[in-house]
Amino acid sequence: MLDYIFRLFPHRANTGLFPLGKPDADAPVIVTGNYHLTVKRLRRVLKYNNVWLLVIDSHGINVWCAAAGGHMTH
């Protein structure tokens, strides 16, 4: 129950460009917001891929809500 309650509040991950695996200059870039749970899950799912993970400031909320709220724009 406590885990569910914490998911309702913004929980920010660090922003920046992070390598997953051993990406080179031609590796794909995955973009996401800095909602901690999303970043954690992406790192786990993509850990065996050679990609860049670009975590941008979405005020600690998920991508869908951040885009709808105008926090993730071009």
Side-chain angles (χ1 to χ4, degrees):
M1 178 69 174
L2 192 57
D3 183 46
Y4 173 76
I5 292 171
F6 283 120
R7 290 183 186 189
L8 300 175
F9 297 99
H11 190 76
R12 297 176 184 203
N14 292 331
T15 58
L17 183 63
F18 303 99
L20 299 178
K22 295 184 179 188
D24 59 14
D26 296 323
V29 178
I30 308 293
V31 180
T32 189
N34 69 330
Y35 178 55
H36 178 74
L37 185 59
T38 302
V39 173
K40 179 180 172 181
R41 287 181 177 172
L42 280 173
R43 284 179 187 255
R44 184 176 60 224
V45 169
L46 297 172
K47 67 182 173 184
Y48 298 113
N49 295 282
N50 297 320
V51 299
W52 294 99
L53 181 62
L54 178 60
V55 181
I56 61 172
D57 186 13
S58 63
H59 300 279
I61 56 179
N62 66 58
V63 172
W64 184 352
C65 293
H71 300 295
M72 286 184 72
T73 61
H74 63 288

